[in-house]
Amino acid sequence: MLAVIGLIIGIVIALMWQPDLPPWLQPYLPIMIVAALDALIGAWRSSLEHTFSDRVFAVSFVSNVVIAAIIVWIGDLIGVGSQLSTAVLVVLGIRIFTNAASIRRQVLHA
């Protein structure tokens, strides 16, 4: 519950403050958001399975975002940034949908 309250407070502050994103960071933001969503959905799944650990979640959240950004950055360096961005999105999307399917099975008991 504390995490949800923190998320709501963060969203409200961001909407009121409207921070500008540096131009060099803009290509990485969508990848970072999808990586963070993967960690959040995984945390939800582990919570339903009663295996949630806040330490594992924190490490997963940060490492997913950092690793995804590094992969895209390396792709930019070697000239294949958009292809690696697509690959990262596909892999994270598969993980998100796999976790969502598990959540659906647990919630609906199907």
Side-chain angles (χ1 to χ4, degrees):
M1 187 60 170
L2 188 59
V4 174
I5 292 170
L7 178 64
I8 292 169
I9 290 171
I11 290 171
V12 169
I13 290 172
L15 290 173
M16 291 173 53
W17 184 33
Q18 296 183 353
D20 291 328
L21 189 66
W24 62 269
L25 192 59
Q26 290 176 358
Y28 304 102
L29 183 64
I31 302 299
M32 290 183 202
I33 290 172
V34 172
L37 284 173
D38 174 49
L40 289 171
I41 301 295
W44 187 12
R45 175 184 180 180
S46 66
S47 176
L48 289 173
E49 294 173 347
H50 305 291
T51 59
F52 178 78
S53 166
D54 55 347
R55 291 180 184 173
V56 172
F57 169 70
V59 169
S60 172
F61 188 90
V62 172
S63 65
N64 277 5
V65 170
V66 169
I67 291 169
I70 288 173
I71 289 172
V72 174
W73 175 70
I74 290 171
D76 286 342
L77 288 178
I78 62 176
V80 293
S82 63
Q83 289 90 346
L84 280 180
S85 294
T86 302
V88 169
L89 287 173
V90 167
V91 169
L92 291 174
I94 290 170
R95 288 173 43 103
I96 288 169
F97 281 108
T98 301
N99 284 330
S102 176
I103 291 168
R104 184 186 67 243
R105 283 190 297 272
Q106 290 180 9
V107 170
L108 299 177
H109 305 289

